[in-house]
Amino acid sequence: MNREEFKEEGFSGPGLHDRTGFLGFRFPLFLRAERMGLLDGGSGLVVAPTATGKSFIGRAAIHRALQRGDGGTHVYLVPYRALANEIYESFLEELASTSWRVRIATGDHQDARRPEEADVLVATYESFDALLRRSLLRPGVVVADEFHLIADETRGPGIEGLFARMRHLRRLSSLIALSAVVENGPELAEWLGVPLLEGSAADRPVELRLQGRWVERLEGALEAVVAESLAEGSQALVFCSSRRGAEGTAESLAPLVAERLDDRRKTELDTLAGELSQSDDAVARELAELVAMGVAFHHAGLSRFLRQRVEEAFRQRLIRVLTATPTLAAGVNLPAEVAVVRDVFRAEQVRGRFRHVLLSSGELLNMMGRAARPGLVGHGLGLALVEERHRGAPEVRALVTAIEAGRGAEVRSRLPESFEAVMRFVLATVVERGETTREDVAESFRYTLAHFQDRQPIRFDRSLDADLMEDIPSYQRVLESRGSIRLLGAEAVSSGVRARVGSGDREYHVQLSVGGLECDCPAASRYYRGNVCKHQACAIASLLFAPGVDEEVRSRALYTCGHLFGRTLDLGTRLNVALDLLTAWSLLERAPGGWRATPVGEVASTSGFDLLLVHEVVGRIRGVEKASYRDVARWAVIDFFSDDEEEARWLEALDPWLDEVDDSKFRLPERYRGDFEQRLGDLARVARLYEKAAEALGKDDLAEAAREAAGALEYGVHPELVPLMALRFPQLGRARARLLYSRGVRDVNDLAGIDPDRVADARRMPARVVAQWVERAREIVQARAVAGADREEAPAELDELLARFRLAPEALGL
């Protein structure tokens, strides 16, 4: 069906479907959104509880825009890769019979190379932000899902900066922001300049009861809830605050669930458990034992394969109880009638010490809302268990009241709290605008939620010296010492700056890092904990303002002080410091009208890494002329890990991984396979940062070494095997790729031209498996020949090819 036929069929949006069937027309909220004009090119902020149809509103708006023939690329934004993949698959399914092009951008190998050629783009916020600066993408309808995460300490500042700049540069023609229940929806709508559509629990097509239950013992109360759920034939999700908590809870509930399994489920679960137990991964074997008993755990430490198998078994209603960390609440839809939050506190580590932090009502409601998903179950209970010993705490009682009333938390900007985010905001502003003045930066910042909620004037008339040191009382003692307290020396280190400070005839050691200030003097460790001692004050003042300090040391001191004291500085001072530091690190350069981005600055603005790491990468590239792919791989490990012990574990594992040693034969640097895979992806991204930065600096040989390092890290092979591994064919692992290579198969073209029986090995590589690879390879080669026939369409067709066959670009030599 082509675009015109699609229109003639009268598709209008409410019949959007996912794997559960046609659902959109059943949502009352959908009908109100339609009456508001949100599906017809309008803009709005939709604030409503989970399972009220918010995502269907966003997807229908994009379908309607396609139907109308609206120009631009229509974008669906989400915070997480897993959710992006789910939305992407839904669009592919819905538009399978049309000629519209659907692409994805999450920062991995599936990303579109020419996103401006797509009709629909599903992306994470960070990937979309980067695409806006490095492509010709012109947004059409923009749907921003999980918009309440703008209040997230880590992700929020970047999301806020993205929308502030898009609004300032008028790049939003239609915005539909979708948020869970928050207290200040009208304020957020006013900031965005869009109408507000508020929903309530009455908009849920499936009833969900919310309850906070005071209990004496968590374990006993949880067992009672699960037993009742099983007796009713229901499935239960249990949210725990940690991975070990999820695993331990699953183990404790397993006997209770196992005794209630029927023979059919036992047989099917035994089969699944047998499959999982074949893994060399110890955690997979532990999981297999529980799966046989009808219970499983789920967290980000599991491999993607294990997570998918667990989710599939739960959807098939084989697994009766699934324990999980809150990551499962990030948009994954599962058929649970009961969702229990076991832990309303989470443990956070602050400077080496753990403290318990009470979850917000919004976080709890999101987890509890995983029950009663429309089209999956007919009713639901969301339950938070709270120990009686906390009843005396007013904030805990208020939390229970809020979740039972379905009230979310207030969204406040986190941008002022992060100097890194301020720096990235300034850099992105200059990259997007071109030549930029201070006032241009200030004007862009006035579009942020931070400025909307705290409209302090932006002035550039105060020096950093005056603004910073007035907030450090101990500096007065340095001035009064008349040189007795003095800087003896300093050096740049990976975490910041290490300095030596003299005080009379004594010497003390001061550490400045993003994590905090340290000094080995008695006052800092005993009396001034949490404050700035006089030796730290001396180091700060001398490193920032005294003559004769090494410029690299000074810039790192400026970076760490921006993090440590940014909130106490005037806003204009913070923006000035960001401009100065970006210039010192050669990410910006002075221009007649202000500043402009350097080629390396443009790379940094789209990298997704903190700017100190980018600075270290650029410094290393400037200092070398030649390097091997193994050199770059080691640099990636050293640059990425700030913890010395973690770095040492990864350096120890690096050579056997790159040498294709079976990973059961050496000690993996991470306990969980999923963490290992995630870190390999991170290290490959660092290597690609080296590649892009080397290209920007004109060092082509180094860029090639970095490109090889990225593939070697990602797949654990020598560079010559990367084209085969990048095909991502089922059952084509490292050992079989090496066997194919030894028999003359170098890439997809070679694979398409072989006789499967000739290269097969009865024990290591059966002919039936090779035949499947060959058939797939021939489809790819034929499709690529068609894609390259029209030179004008070739780039877009290449994206189509990569998306259709789920290939990494290296598979095609790109």
Side-chain angles (χ1 to χ4, degrees):
M1 184 186 297
N2 61 30
R3 302 181 190 211
E4 288 67 30
E5 292 169 335
F6 186 78
K7 294 178 186 178
E8 290 171 4
E9 288 293 318
F11 182 87
S12 58
L16 291 182
H17 61 91
D18 62 6
R19 295 172 185 83
T20 65
F22 288 81
L23 301 174
F25 65 89
R26 300 177 186 168
F27 292 93
L29 191 69
F30 185 98
L31 300 176
R32 299 210 301 278
E34 191 171 33
R35 288 195 293 270
M36 278 183 61
L38 296 190
L39 310 186
D40 298 312
S43 295
L45 169 64
V46 182
V47 175
T50 58
T52 51
K54 296 190 296 290
S55 66
F56 286 101
I57 293 171
R59 284 156 56 191
I62 289 177
H63 276 276
R64 293 274 186 94
L66 292 171
Q67 182 184 359
R68 292 191 304 268
D70 293 356
T73 298
H74 307 298
V75 183
Y76 198 107
L77 299 175
V78 295
Y80 306 111
R81 287 183 178 180
L83 185 54
N85 283 317
E86 186 169 316
I87 297 294
Y88 173 65
E89 293 293 339
S90 293
F91 272 116
L92 285 179
E93 182 181 350
E94 293 157 5
L95 300 176
S97 59
T98 76
S99 58
W100 279 298
R101 292 166 170 161
V102 183
R103 298 290 179 267
I104 189 170
T106 60
D108 63 14
H109 283 308
Q110 291 188 72
D111 287 5
R113 299 167 63 82
R114 296 284 294 270
E116 65 274 10
E117 303 279 355
D119 298 294
V120 179
L121 176 69
V122 181
T124 55
Y125 284 101
E126 291 83 358
S127 294
F128 177 66
D129 194 359
L131 288 176
L132 280 178
R133 293 194 291 280
R134 68 169 186 247
S135 72
L136 301 175
L137 184 68
R138 183 170 64 87
V141 173
V142 175
V143 178
D145 207 348
E146 306 284 343
F147 191 72
H148 53 277
L149 285 177
I150 203 167
D152 181 76
E153 180 179 3
T154 304
R155 313 280 297 279
I159 299 173
E160 177 182 346
L162 166 65
F163 284 100
R165 296 191 309 276
M166 289 185 73
R167 291 176 59 237
H168 182 211
L169 297 177
R170 305 188 186 283
R171 301 188 71 175
L172 282 170
S173 59
S174 173
L175 169 66
I176 300 175
L178 309 174
S179 171
V181 175
V182 296
E183 282 286 85
N184 57 331
E187 181 184 40
L188 293 178
E190 185 181 354
W191 168 56
L192 292 172
V194 300
L196 174 66
L197 172 59
E198 288 190 285
S200 67
D203 291 307
R204 285 194 177 102
V206 177
E207 180 186 6
L208 173 64
R209 291 182 294 121
L210 300 174
Q211 183 183 352
R213 184 176 297 179
W214 299 95
V215 300
E216 291 291 343
R217 290 180 57 254
L218 284 176
E219 291 77 9
L222 179 59
E223 287 182 7
V225 171
V226 170
E228 182 179 352
S229 169
L230 294 172
E232 295 175 351
S234 299
Q235 289 179 280
L237 294 173
V238 180
F239 288 100
C240 306
S241 61
S242 68
R243 295 175 180 180
R244 291 193 182 275
E247 293 174 10
T249 300
E251 185 176 353
S252 68
L253 292 174
L256 175 68
V257 180
E259 64 185 22
R260 290 166 169 79
L261 293 175
D262 56 44
D263 291 340
R264 181 190 65 82
R265 282 199 178 91
K266 286 180 182 178
T267 301
E268 295 190 45
L269 287 170
D270 284 342
T271 301
L272 175 58
E275 175 189 340
L276 299 181
S277 65
Q278 299 302 310
S279 172
D280 294 326
D281 182 356
V283 176
R285 294 194 296 272
E286 294 171 13
L287 178 63
E289 294 179 9
L290 295 173
V291 164
M293 303 174 76
V295 177
F297 54 82
H298 184 293
H299 55 65
L302 300 181
S303 68
R304 180 181 299 180
F305 168 75
L306 288 179
R307 292 197 305 271
Q308 290 174 341
R309 294 296 284 126
V310 166
E311 291 168 16
E312 180 183 350
F314 195 85
R315 288 192 177 99
Q316 294 171 342
R317 304 189 78 83
L318 296 176
I319 291 175
R320 308 300 293 158
V321 177
L322 180 60
T323 64
T325 55
T327 55
L328 188 66
V332 179
N333 291 318
L334 295 172
E337 288 86 357
V338 178
V340 185
V341 179
R342 180 190 182 277
D343 304 319
V344 297
F345 289 88
R346 67 167 175 263
E348 284 189 357
Q349 189 174 14
V350 180
R351 298 191 185 183
R353 298 184 178 188
F354 282 95
R355 64 175 183 176
H356 284 92
V357 178
L358 187 66
L359 298 177
S360 70
S361 60
E363 291 173 292
L364 289 173
L365 289 170
N366 193 36
M367 287 184 269
M368 295 160 74
R370 292 301 101 191
R373 305 307 293 179
L376 299 176
V377 296
H379 61 88
L381 169 67
L383 181 64
L385 301 180
V386 189
E387 291 180 283
E388 278 283 356
R389 62 192 179 94
H390 297 303
R391 194 189 282 269
E395 65 273 18
V396 178
R397 293 199 306 272
L399 177 67
V400 172
T401 301
I403 60 176
E404 291 185 337
R407 293 201 314 269
E410 184 177 3
V411 171
R412 304 294 301 176
S413 171
R414 308 303 290 265
L415 181 57
E417 301 173 16
S418 170
F419 182 64
E420 171 75 22
V422 171
M423 286 186 67
R424 296 196 73 86
F425 180 87
V426 172
L427 177 60
T429 298
V430 178
V431 170
E432 290 173 354
R433 290 184 60 91
E435 200 165 297
T436 306
T437 66
R438 274 194 182 88
E439 184 51 40
D440 291 331
V441 173
E443 183 59 25
S444 187
F445 197 89
R446 291 186 184 102
Y447 281 80
T448 63
L449 179 62
H451 193 263
F452 185 84
Q453 292 180 327
D454 181 12
R455 298 177 190 250
Q456 61 172 290
I458 304 177
R459 299 170 54 187
F460 298 103
D461 56 354
R462 294 199 71 192
S463 69
L464 175 61
D465 189 350
D467 199 351
L468 174 61
M469 302 315 294
E470 71 177 8
D471 294 318
I472 304 178
S474 56
Y475 182 56
Q476 187 60 34
R477 298 183 64 187
V478 178
L479 296 176
E480 293 170 354
S481 76
R482 303 192 178 194
S484 174
I485 303 174
R486 63 216 179 272
L487 181 70
L488 300 177
E491 61 176 336
V493 295
S494 60
S495 59
V497 176
R498 185 181 297 127
R500 295 180 295 110
V501 175
S503 183
D505 59 353
R506 296 179 181 271
E507 180 178 310
Y508 297 104
H509 300 91
V510 174
Q511 181 94 12
L512 282 74
S513 70
V514 172
L517 290 168
E518 297 178 15
C519 180
D520 57 5
C521 73
S525 60
R526 190 175 309 160
Y527 306 114
Y528 288 90
R529 184 173 294 161
N531 295 320
V532 180
C533 73
K534 60 187 178 182
H535 310 108
Q536 294 166 340
C538 173
I540 290 168
S542 301
L543 292 171
L544 294 182
F545 309 117
V549 175
D550 177 79
E551 286 305 312
E552 176 62 17
V553 171
R554 191 188 301 278
S555 69
R556 291 199 178 219
L558 187 60
Y559 181 78
T560 56
C561 287
H563 281 272
L564 297 173
F565 304 103
R567 295 208 68 181
T568 68
L569 298 177
D570 291 350
L571 180 52
T573 304
R574 270 178 278 171
L575 296 177
N576 259 340
V577 171
L579 285 166
D580 290 344
L581 190 52
L582 291 167
T583 304
W585 284 354
S586 299
L587 303 180
L588 298 181
E589 61 186 8
R590 295 305 301 258
W595 288 264
R596 60 173 168 250
T598 64
V600 172
E602 293 182 5
V603 171
S605 75
T606 62
S607 72
F609 290 109
D610 68 79
L611 295 176
L612 180 58
L613 186 149
V614 175
H615 175 61
E616 290 175 343
V617 165
V618 171
R620 198 188 297 273
I621 291 173
R622 291 186 190 276
V624 299
E625 292 300 325
K626 289 186 177 181
S628 69
Y629 78 92
R630 285 180 178 266
D631 292 330
V632 178
R634 289 183 64 83
W635 296 343
V637 171
I638 293 168
D639 292 341
F640 183 78
F641 294 107
S642 58
D643 181 84
D644 292 340
E645 292 183 4
E646 195 171 13
E647 176 189 312
R649 291 200 310 271
W650 272 90
L651 287 175
E652 181 182 350
L654 184 63
D655 283 338
W657 175 249
L658 296 180
D659 285 334
E660 303 169 23
V661 175
D662 189 296
D663 51 33
S664 65
K665 301 294 193 298
F666 66 94
R667 182 170 175 263
L668 292 182
E670 304 288 345
R671 177 175 186 266
Y672 295 110
R673 182 75 193 192
D675 289 340
F676 179 61
E677 294 172 356
Q678 178 64 47
R679 287 291 174 260
L680 288 174
D682 291 334
L683 293 173
R685 288 174 53 232
V686 176
R688 292 188 186 95
L689 172 61
Y690 268 97
E691 178 187 3
K692 298 299 182 185
E695 288 174 349
L697 293 172
K699 297 196 172 185
D700 295 339
D701 290 344
L702 193 53
E704 176 61 20
R707 187 188 65 79
E708 291 182 346
L713 284 164
E714 182 92 14
Y715 302 113
V717 295
H718 292 185
E720 67 269 16
L721 291 193
V722 169
L724 290 174
M725 294 296 295
L727 291 169
R728 298 180 172 181
F729 285 174
Q731 303 182 67
L732 179 53
R734 297 190 293 163
R736 286 176 169 175
R738 176 55 67 188
L739 188 57
L740 282 175
Y741 191 87
S742 69
R743 298 182 179 184
V745 179
R746 302 294 192 261
D747 55 28
V748 66
N749 293 305
D750 291 340
L751 187 57
I754 64 170
D755 176 357
D757 293 326
R758 184 179 65 83
V759 300
D761 182 292
R763 184 173 60 86
R764 294 179 294 173
M765 202 162 60
R768 61 175 178 77
V769 174
V770 179
Q772 293 171 357
W773 298 340
V774 171
E775 182 180 357
R776 190 70 165 168
R778 287 171 179 170
E779 291 178 13
I780 293 170
V781 170
Q782 183 178 2
R784 187 174 190 183
V786 174
D790 187 331
R791 290 180 176 274
E792 189 174 324
E793 288 292 319
E797 295 295 340
L798 196 56
D799 265 349
E800 183 73 29
L801 182 65
L802 295 172
R804 173 184 168 192
F805 291 99
R806 305 290 201 275
L807 303 175
E810 293 91 340
L812 302 180
L814 303 174

